[in-house]
Structure formats: C-alpha cells, structure tokens
C-alpha cells in the first residue's frame, strides 16, 4: 500500500497532484515513507514540502537518522526544510548538523532555522556527560552567530538564546550577551526581540 | 528595469580597497576602477566627507559614457550617495533627475527617497508630467520613459502631499509594479487603508516577483493590518521577514524599553519567530 502511494508521487505530473500524493503518503504515518517524504523537500513545491515536513515531524525520532543522512548539500531550499524539521523534532542527535548549518551554511534561511532549533533540543535525552556538554556547544554557536552582519541571523540567534536560557547554568552568559546586544545592535527590530527575550 | 549591478562581479575578482584608495580611484585614468570605487564606497558605507565630495563630483562625470549614451559612473555615484546619508548630496541628486540617462534618473530618485529629501518634491513631480498617458515603454528598451516606480515611492516617502493628484492616476497604470508604487505612496500620503488593502490583494497574485514587490511595499509603509497576510503569503521566508521587520519598526518608538513594547509589536515578533 505504501509502495503504491510512493509510486503515485513519482507519477504526479502537476503541482496539485503532487500535493495530493504527498498528503496521501503522509497519512499512512508509515516509516517506510520517510525517504520519499524527505525527497519531496527537493521538488521545489512549497506546499508539498510543508506537508512532508509536518508528517516527518509527527514521525519524530524515527525520522531523525534518515533526515541527518539525507541533508541535501546542493539544494539550499531542500536543506532549509530538513533543518527546520530536525529543529521541530528537537532530537539532540541533530546537534552537530544544526551547529554546522547555523555557523557555516551560506543560505540565511538554513542558518535561521538552525539557530532557532539550537535553543530547543531535548537535552535530557542525552546520557551523562553529553547532556551537560551539548547545550554548551549550542550556546557557543549561538553566541558566535549573534555577531553576524545580517540582522535576521542575529534575530534568530536571540530566539535560540532565549530558549536555551531555560537551562539555569547558561543563564549568566546569555543575559550578558543579550545586555550587550541591547546596548550595541544597530537594528531596532533586533533590540526589540532582545527586550522580548529578557521579559520572558 | 534591472541592469547588472557591480555586485555581481565585484568582491572576489577585484583588488581589496581602503577608503582612501577608493576615493583616489574615483579620479583614476582607468574608468573601470572609478566605476568600482563608487560602488565600493556605497557598499561599505564610507561616509567621510572626502568620499561624499568625490561622489558628488562624479555625478557630473563626462568621461565614462556607453554607446547608448549612458553614464555608468554617475549611476553608481548616485546609488552610493543614497547609502551614505549625507544631505549635502541632495542638490546634485536633484540635478540628476534631468539627466538624459534613465538609470541615472532612477538611481537619483531612489537615493533622494533614502535621504528623505523633501526639497526634491518639485523635481520629482516634473517627472510625472503628462501623467499615465505618456508613461509608456521606450521602444527597444526594458524600461518606461521615466523611472515611475522610484519617483512615486520617493514622493510617498518624503510626504509630498501636494503630489497626490499626480500620483493617484498611476494606480491604474498598465504595469502592476507601477500600480504597487502608487498604492504605496498613496497610503503614505493619506493613511487610507484602502491603499494598503490593494497591496494585500497583490499577495495573492500568480506572479511571485510581484508578490515580493508587494511584500516590500507593505513593509515599507508599515501596514499593520497586513501582518497575517504577509506571514501566510506564498513567498520565501526571507521576503516575509523583511516585510514584518518593516511593520515591527513602525510599532517601535525612537526610544523604547520592555514596558513600552506594544502588543502589536509582540504579535509581529511572534509571526517572525514562526518564519525562522
């Protein structure tokens, strides 16, 4: 049954048929659909990609290994969907991929999705000592990109830092950086987002 | 109405510059170096007086002329001056609105908008002479006879209410982007939501490029009622974020603190967060 629905995606010859085919496959919630759903990210069909991303997010941890393996290094649109989905699932095995995307990707959409995701991973799923060291690595990456020249990257870094501040040990450096950004950032929008983070 | 910008070939292939070198290069015998230096000074926002003076002088350059009678150095100088924020450039830019080169006039109008040059209103209004009837394509060229988009946007941005009667007919111009510019200006000059809603409607258009234009316009006018429509528009998140940033900035007073962040501002930021 799933095989048939996967074939229907290959046969879809209009954007609307593609969306319908992806919806049908997504409804199965079958792990066998995972590689095909990830491949949909590369079809340049935003509606279909959104359906696939939601389905993969609902599959959760089961989809993480293949999401990590199938990150498309040559298509930044597809890569942004992969990173956004990994961020939404929040499995901490995605840490390295998110750090890599946030700090080295050339595409702002990918970097912003990764920055937001770095604040929200489920650290408690890691064993000791990773559960302690992993958030520190996320913090380091976010502090680094909070100095980026592009305002939307700094904005996303603030969103990530705000979420990461739920960890008591990290509150001090995060507060210090937010104070610094509030005093020095040239963009009103970024300063406003800092104030919102500080008020949470 | 896009011509290749220096940005496309610059960065890697060109020699690294210092502000001093770039200013000196504006007088170089090599016209290519002059052209690049003018772009570079704008790109890196070198606003020191010597740079501004040199760029103002370059607005009258006669050395760099294309076969079609274009003035590449003047274009780049006009563009750079808009980015440098020095109001001494205004008279020279106003003069450029009469230049024979369409792209110089377009760059000057855009930079006068950026400099919020209220004194430019009469010269900008002159470019609307003849109204929609004469606002047609130049045969064989990819642009209309005047840079209407830039002119309409500038008149709106500088608050030229005396131009309303000249701008309004352009809402019915045959080029959708010109209609957008007119709606944007009319909203800025009247604050009538009907003009904001015209732009919101364009977010449903079939043409992605036009949807992007409307996003930019809604951000520029800070039309708050469009917030959700912007977040849901079929366009890349980067364009939506820039539009919402524009809305957010309109909600923030010059000086603000956590207590004076309005609910509307928080609503916009929540939408922005969802687009990361």
């Amino acid at each position: 049954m799933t095989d048939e629905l996967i074939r229907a995606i290959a046969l879809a010859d209009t954007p609307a048929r593609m969306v319908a085919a992806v919806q049908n496959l997504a409804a199965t919630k079958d792990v066998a659909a995972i590689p095909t759903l990830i491949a949909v990210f590369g079809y340049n069909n935003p509606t279909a990609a959104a359906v696939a991303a939601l389905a993969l997010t609902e599959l959760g941890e089961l989809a993480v290994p293949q999401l990590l393996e199938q990150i498309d290094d040559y298509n930044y649109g597809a890569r942004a969907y992969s990173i956004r989905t990994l961020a939404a699932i929040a499995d901490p095995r995605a840490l390295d991929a998110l750090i890599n995307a946030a700090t080295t990707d050339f595409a702002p959409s990918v970097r912003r999705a990764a920055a937001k995701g770095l604040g929200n991973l489920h650290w408690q799923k890691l064993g000791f000592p990773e559960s302690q060291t992993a958030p520190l690595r996320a913090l380091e990456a976010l502090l680094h990109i909070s100095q980026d020249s592009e305002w939307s990257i700094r904005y996303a870094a603030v969103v990530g830092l705000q979420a990461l501040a739920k960890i008591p040990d990290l509150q001090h450096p995060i507060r210090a950086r937010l104070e610094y950004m509030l005093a020095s950032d040239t963009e009103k929008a970024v300063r406003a987002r800092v104030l919102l983070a500080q008020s949470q | 109405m896009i011509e290749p910008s220096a940005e496309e070939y610059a960065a890697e292939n060109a020699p690294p510059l210092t502000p001093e070198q770039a200013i000196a290069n504006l007088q170089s015998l090599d016209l290519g170096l002059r052209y690049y230096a003018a772009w570079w000074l704008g790109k890196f926002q070198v606003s020191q007086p010597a740079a501004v003076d040199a760029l103002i002088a370059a607005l009258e350059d006669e050395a760099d002329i294309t076969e079609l009678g274009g003035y590449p150095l003047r274009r780049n100088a006009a563009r750079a001056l808009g980015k440098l924020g020095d109001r001494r450039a205004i008279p020279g830019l106003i003069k450029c609105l009469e230049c024979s080169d369409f792209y110089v006039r377009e760059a000057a109008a855009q930079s006068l908008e950026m400099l919020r040059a209220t004194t430019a209103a009469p010269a900008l209004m002159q470019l609307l002479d003849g109204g929609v009837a004469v606002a047609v394509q130049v045969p064989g060229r990819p642009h209309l006879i005047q840079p209407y988009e830039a002119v309409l946007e500038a008149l709106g941005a500088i608050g030229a209410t005396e131009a309303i009667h000249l701008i309004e007919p352009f809402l019915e111009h045959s080029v959708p982007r010109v209609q957008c510019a007119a709606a944007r200006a009319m909203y800025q000059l009247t604050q009538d939501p009907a003009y904001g809603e015209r732009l919101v409607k364009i977010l449903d258009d079939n043409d992605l490029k036009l949807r992007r234009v409307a996003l930019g316009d809604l951000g520029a006018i800070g039309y708050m009622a469009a917030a959700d429509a912007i977040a849901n528009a079929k366009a890349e998140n980067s364009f939506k974020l820039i539009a919402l940033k524009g809305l957010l900035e309109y909600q923030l007073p010059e000086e603000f603190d956590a207590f004076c962040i309005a609910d509307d501002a928080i609503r916009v930021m929540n939408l922005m967060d969802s687009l990361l």
Side-chain angles (χ1 to χ4, degrees):
Chain A
M1 155 103 173
T2 303
D3 284 348
E4 254 170 64
L5 294 172
I6 288 171
R7 268 196 301 280
I9 288 181
L11 295 172
D13 52 2
T14 67
R17 281 188 194 140
M18 169 65 71
V19 172
V22 175
Q23 277 166 339
N24 291 338
L25 181 64
T28 64
K29 304 196 187 299
D30 186 344
V31 291
I34 291 172
T36 309
L37 290 171
I38 296 171
V40 169
F41 292 164
Y43 294 170
N44 194 24
N45 182 326
T47 314
V51 174
L54 185 64
L56 289 162
T57 305
E58 283 168 358
L59 284 161
E61 284 179 26
L62 290 171
V64 170
Q66 292 176 78
L67 275 165
L68 289 170
E69 278 161 27
Q70 286 192 48
I71 288 176
D72 190 336
D73 291 328
Y74 299 97
N75 178 339
Y76 69 88
R79 205 156 64 239
Y81 284 112
S82 284
I83 294 296
R84 214 168 273 139
T85 306
L86 286 165
I89 296 172
D91 186 308
R93 284 176 290 174
L95 178 65
D96 286 325
L98 294 185
I99 289 178
N100 193 29
T103 58
T104 67
D105 209 287
F106 76 89
S109 56
V110 176
R111 301 185 66 198
R112 290 189 298 257
K116 184 182 179 185
L118 280 172
N120 281 311
L121 296 178
H122 297 148
W123 311 108
Q124 69 281 4
K125 287 189 178 160
L126 293 167
F128 189 82
E130 283 80 14
S131 59
Q132 310 294 307
T133 54
L136 281 169
R137 292 184 53 220
L139 174 67
E140 192 189 350
L142 287 170
L143 292 177
H144 177 64
I145 63 163
S146 74
Q147 305 167 64
D148 199 86
S149 60
E150 155 73 27
W151 73 271
S152 70
I153 302 295
R154 301 199 300 279
Y155 184 103
V158 174
V159 174
L161 287 169
Q162 175 186 330
L164 207 58
K166 285 189 231 114
I167 300 172
D169 285 352
L170 304 186
Q171 280 172 5
H172 182 72
I174 291 173
R175 273 193 204 137
R177 173 53 56 96
L178 292 180
E179 281 298 327
Y180 176 76
M181 292 178 81
L182 187 60
S184 65
D185 205 286
T186 50
E187 290 286 349
K188 271 167 105 176
V190 174
R191 296 204 301 278
R193 192 60 189 82
V194 168
L195 282 169
L196 186 60
Q198 288 175 329
S199 71
Q200 302 291 302
Chain B
M1 305 189 192
I2 292 166
E3 57 154 356
S5 75
E7 215 140 346
E8 282 160 30
Y9 66 83
E12 311 89 66
N13 341 350
L17 281 179
T18 64
E20 292 67 33
Q21 267 175 322
I23 294 166
N25 281 0
L26 283 176
Q27 318 275 343
S28 168
L29 290 175
D30 180 340
L31 297 180
L33 283 184
R34 290 195 204 183
Y35 181 77
Y36 177 70
W39 170 81
W40 192 91
L41 290 166
K43 165 78 177 168
F44 295 101
Q45 309 215 350
V46 180
S47 55
Q48 47 187 272
V52 175
D53 288 335
L55 288 166
I56 291 173
L59 293 177
E60 310 206 7
D61 170 77
E62 291 288 356
D64 191 4
I65 304 178
T66 67
E67 319 79 83
L68 287 167
Y71 292 93
L73 177 60
R74 293 193 196 187
R75 297 172 190 169
N76 269 4
R79 288 179 191 126
L81 284 164
K83 296 182 184 142
L84 302 188
D86 190 323
R87 304 179 61 81
R88 287 186 300 140
I90 290 173
L93 288 168
I94 290 176
K95 223 170 137 195
C96 284
L97 293 176
E98 294 174 12
C99 181
S100 57
D101 178 359
F102 171 92
Y103 295 108
V104 172
R105 300 197 298 279
E106 182 180 56
Q110 286 165 342
S111 288
L112 288 163
E113 173 183 357
M114 292 166 87
L115 296 174
R116 295 290 183 270
T118 49
T119 51
L124 288 164
M125 286 162 71
Q126 248 166 44
L127 297 188
L128 301 183
D129 266 357
V132 177
V134 305
V136 296
Q137 190 101 7
V138 178
R141 303 298 304 275
H143 57 70
L144 303 172
I145 60 162
Q146 295 294 354
Y148 292 102
E149 270 174 75
V151 170
L152 295 168
E153 285 178 14
L155 285 167
I158 66 175
T161 48
E162 67 271 34
I164 286 177
H165 67 289
L166 298 176
I167 296 170
E168 204 196 353
F170 282 88
L171 291 167
E172 309 304 329
H173 192 273
S174 58
V175 176
R177 294 175 70 122
V178 174
Q179 293 175 19
C180 284
R184 164 175 166 164
M186 288 301 287
Y187 180 82
Q188 287 177 309
L189 298 174
T190 66
Q191 297 293 305
D192 182 341
Y195 300 114
E197 290 304 319
R198 276 174 176 260
L199 293 167
V200 171
K201 221 173 136 193
I202 290 171
L203 295 180
D204 286 328
D205 195 275
N206 283 326
D207 180 352
L208 172 62
K209 283 186 184 154
L210 194 59
R211 297 199 296 274
R212 289 177 184 154
V213 169
L215 284 170
D217 289 335
L218 287 163
I221 64 175
Y223 185 58
M224 189 59 204
D228 291 306
I230 290 170
N232 294 321
K234 287 198 168 75
E236 300 86 339
N237 285 359
S238 296
F239 288 88
K240 301 196 224 180
L241 283 169
I242 291 170
L244 289 170
K245 173 172 178 266
L247 264 54
L248 176 59
E249 285 168 348
Y250 271 85
Q251 298 302 316
L252 301 169
E254 213 37 64
E255 298 287 325
F256 56 93
D257 57 50
F259 298 107
C260 78
I261 295 195
D263 288 348
D264 272 345
I266 293 174
R267 192 157 75 81
V268 174
M269 285 191 272
N270 287 335
L271 288 171
M272 291 170 74
D273 289 7
S274 74
L275 295 168
L276 297 176

